[in-house]
Amino acid sequence: MAIQTIKVPDIGGAEGVEVIEISVKVGDAIAEGDSIVVLETDKASMEIPADKAGKVVAIKVNLGDKVSQDAVLLEVEAEGSAAAPAPQAAAPAVAAPAAAPVSAAAASAAGTEVPMVVPDIGGAEGVEVIEISVKVGDEVAAGDSLIVLETDKASMEIPAEAAGKIISLAVKVGDKLSQGSVIGVLATSGGAPVAAPVAAPAKVEAAPAVSAPAPKAEAPKAAPAPVADVAQTGDVYAGPAVRKLARQLGVDMGKVSGTGPRGRLLKDDVRAYVKPIVQAAQSGASFGGSGIPVLPVVDYSKFGEIEIVKMSKIKKLTADAMTRSWLNVPRITQFDDADITDLEAFRNSMKAEAEKRGSKLTPLPFIVKAVAAALVAEPSFNVSVHQDGESIVHKKFVHIGIAVDTPNGLLVPVVRNVDKKGLFELADEINVLAKKARDGKLTPAEMQGGCFTISSLGAMGGNGFTPMVSAPTEVGILGVSRAQMKPVWNGKEFIPRNMLPLSLSYDHRAVNGADAGRFMTYLVSVIGDLRRLLL
Ligand code: CAO
């Protein structure tokens, strides 16, 4: 096996382009076309694909290095001994000069209103608008991104060709645009307009993620910035402007959830992630102003043989969510036992009928139904704390999440409108959702919108635990432990009753102890006597 190098291909004459991401590590097996590094200029980022398959034996660049064509990026132990093909250059430069768009021509007149149009985008037609980066009234500088277009292979930011104020926008997310499509109207601010775009980015259909802009001298300042990272770098799916913003703010993009199409990260997602952190830091509220002491690093191998196994994605997300909840929610847990002797008698009497209709009637649907009644009777639990820290969001619907243990970790599907459903319907829906959870088939929508969660460990045992509130969307969670026969004093004697231990955790910012006491008392009374559901 020969050691071969992978070099920077033709990147349109750009020199000293910064390495912003290295997508591989020594030992990785890479295939031809896999993204190996991401380079970024002021206007565009480019993924550099491997031009040969093999195993990475050395990485010859560091983050922040400035590279040009032919700089060595990697050494690979190439598969087979065939000579390395020439670097995949560079998707063909589509330098066909486009007719100067109306806007650029018109923009030369200072202070006039000009249409903003889609420039030459390499001949691609009907390209989808996936992001609108400006709104009416915004002041933009020449080169600022107006919209982002995306095909299934590449996305590109369409920049303003002149500075000015956005007067109107004629497009919305999902629209399909081609060269010459009108984006909106700009009132130019009179500065010298930038040159009309003449170079198109690499044809958007082209598979290689590298774009070859026209030679530098001709490259207009306002040419659409090809965003080559649609193929995703690591797990992050974002354009260069978003990446730049994240870098400027020091945000780890892997921690931000994208709300754009197909989970694409938007600038607003980065801002929404940063805002509460800054607010908390400024108020000194989140950590009492003292910060969290960092945990020491421990080398466990000193104590014996160990194996390090990566967490599943679900476990990692759960770990983050639990830490967020632990740090942000002042949580109180209160305990009580519900007498389910009569509930169990009723459930057992219904078992045959349930089986006949293919349903499995465990205590859980009864508890879910009783919790829904308690949320209606004590709406102080059916709320969220608003992110402004000053308001409470009251919900007029009753959706309840059920914690489900799956081989990959904990998932919480949500049963909607529980207050309007019967016991068999609830039992069936919980079973379907729990099966989907275990099979890894739940959709994100099926795990959203919950008002309250029930975590049942009844089948496993235990007589009480303190569940974590699912922040920020919920303020309460009910832990259900294993029912057992206990002697209960009825005023004259101890009688055997089947008692179900319940633990109610709540966010003390939203719920007072008295509200929680009322909620629990009501819940216990309904579980103890299901006829109360009819009242
Ligand atoms: N006390 C005694 N027995 C109980 C009980 C309780 N509180 N709850 C359930 N049981 C019994 C059931 O009746 C059933 O017995 P039968 O088959 O004889 O009727 C048996 O335990 C198994 O029940 P199940 O687990 O199949 O069904 P379920 O409706 O109780 O629970 C589900 C469904 C999806 C919640 C459960 O399978 C699950 O995943 N639980 C784990 C939840 C979890 O991980 N929580 C921790 C989250 S961290 O906060």
Side-chain angles (χ1 to χ4, degrees):
M1 293 265 179
I3 303 293
Q4 298 182 347
T5 56
I6 298 183
K7 298 177 181 173
V8 176
D10 178 359
I11 47 174
E15 300 270 334
V17 184
E18 188 176 346
V19 177
I20 61 158
E21 279 178 30
I22 299 175
S23 320
V24 293
K25 53 188 185 326
V26 172
D28 280 359
I30 54 171
E32 197 176 326
D34 280 358
S35 171
I36 50 174
V37 300
V38 181
L39 306 182
E40 188 176 90
T41 64
D42 298 356
K43 288 282 172 279
S45 64
M46 303 165 246
E47 280 187 8
I48 305 297
D51 57 12
K52 53 183 74 71
K55 187 168 152 197
V56 178
V57 292
I59 295 173
K60 299 303 221 183
V61 285
N62 292 310
L63 288 180
D65 281 1
K66 303 278 166 62
V67 295
S68 308
Q69 184 176 341
D70 290 335
V72 176
L73 298 171
L74 301 183
E75 282 178 2
V76 295
E77 199 174 77
E79 279 176 0
S81 53
Q88 179 130 7
V94 183
V102 190
S103 52
S108 60
T112 50
E113 291 188 6
V114 296
M116 300 174 288
V117 296
V118 176
D120 180 353
I121 48 174
E125 298 272 332
V127 185
E128 188 176 347
V129 178
I130 60 157
E131 190 178 327
I132 299 192
S133 319
V134 291
K135 55 187 184 323
V136 171
D138 278 0
E139 295 284 351
V140 292
D144 280 359
S145 175
L146 297 172
I147 58 174
V148 182
L149 303 181
E150 185 180 276
T151 66
D152 44 346
K153 289 278 180 286
S155 68
M156 57 205 124
E157 294 184 6
I158 304 295
E161 291 157 17
K165 186 172 178 176
I166 307 286
I167 299 298
S168 65
L169 285 170
V171 292
K172 56 185 184 326
V173 170
D175 283 358
K176 303 274 166 67
L177 308 184
S178 308
Q179 181 180 348
S181 300
V182 174
I183 299 167
V185 175
L186 180 81
T188 61
S189 48
V194 293
V198 289
K203 266 192 171 302
V204 285
E205 304 82 4
V210 181
S211 69
K216 216 171 184 197
E218 292 169 45
K221 196 174 165 200
V227 181
D229 44 6
V230 173
Q232 301 198 11
T233 323
D235 273 331
V236 177
Y237 178 34
V242 178
R243 286 174 184 279
K244 192 168 180 184
L245 179 68
R247 253 198 338 280
Q248 283 167 342
L249 297 173
V251 171
D252 173 354
M253 292 194 295
K255 292 201 162 21
V256 186
S257 311
T259 60
R262 296 182 288 287
R264 189 174 203 276
L265 226 67
L266 309 180
K267 279 185 176 172
D268 278 348
D269 297 328
V270 176
R271 292 188 189 109
Y273 176 80
V274 165
K275 194 173 169 188
I277 297 171
V278 173
Q279 282 173 338
Q282 281 170 353
S283 69
S286 67
F287 313 132
S290 55
I292 300 176
V294 175
L295 294 170
V297 176
V298 180
D299 175 9
Y300 298 96
S301 65
K302 282 196 309 203
F303 312 117
E305 190 186 332
I306 58 162
E307 185 190 6
I308 297 176
V309 180
K310 277 258 176 271
M311 285 186 187
S312 71
K313 196 161 180 181
I314 293 172
K315 282 199 174 131
K316 178 103 184 41
L317 288 171
T318 304
D320 289 348
M322 293 299 109
T323 309
R324 268 203 312 272
S325 177
W326 183 260
L327 294 173
N328 286 289
V329 175
R331 181 193 55 159
I332 307 288
T333 306
Q334 78 168 66
F335 303 87
D336 207 345
D337 287 348
D339 185 338
I340 58 165
T341 315
D342 296 341
L343 183 154
E344 281 298 84
F346 176 59
R347 185 173 77 90
N348 285 327
S349 74
M350 295 303 293
K351 261 194 168 167
E353 191 175 329
E355 261 164 40
K356 215 187 286 171
R357 62 189 308 284
S359 302
K360 186 179 179 218
L361 211 49
T362 65
L364 189 59
F366 294 86
I367 298 167
V368 174
K369 191 72 192 165
V371 165
L375 286 171
V376 173
E378 293 294 337
S380 56
F381 266 83
N382 199 2
V383 301
S384 300
V385 178
H386 195 276
Q387 57 268 26
D388 67 8
E390 295 176 0
S391 326
I392 297 290
V393 180
H394 293 263
K395 295 165 199 172
K396 312 288 179 194
F397 49 88
V398 183
H399 302 342
I400 294 181
I402 310 291
V404 179
D405 184 34
T406 81
N408 283 325
L410 179 68
L411 287 171
V412 186
V414 174
V415 185
R416 308 195 111 70
N417 301 312
V418 174
D419 51 329
K420 301 191 172 69
K421 290 178 177 163
L423 284 168
F424 283 134
E425 194 179 358
L426 288 173
D428 293 347
E429 206 170 321
I430 293 167
N431 283 335
V432 168
L433 288 170
K435 178 162 187 339
K436 277 176 115 175
R438 290 184 184 116
D439 295 346
K441 298 221 167 99
L442 281 178
T443 64
E446 285 171 324
M447 291 183 277
Q448 288 166 1
C451 307
F452 186 98
T453 294
I454 297 175
S455 175
S456 173
L457 293 178
M460 291 134 208
N463 54 18
F465 62 104
T466 55
M468 299 281 283
V469 176
S470 177
T473 49
E474 301 177 9
V475 298
I477 178 166
L478 184 75
V480 180
S481 297
R482 188 166 195 73
Q484 349 176 6
M485 296 304 288
K486 283 189 183 166
V488 175
W489 184 250
N490 70 358
K492 287 195 220 120
E493 56 185 342
F494 283 105
I495 48 167
R497 303 294 289 179
N498 197 353
M499 303 303 287
L500 178 72
L502 300 175
S503 41
L504 175 70
S505 290
Y506 57 91
D507 182 341
H508 209 342
R509 293 174 305 166
V511 179
N512 286 329
D515 298 328
R518 275 191 294 272
F519 185 93
M520 187 65 126
T521 304
Y522 183 80
L523 180 64
V524 164
S525 73
V526 173
I527 294 175
D529 185 351
L530 293 171
R531 292 172 304 179
R532 286 180 167 276
L533 286 171
L534 302 171
L535 295 175

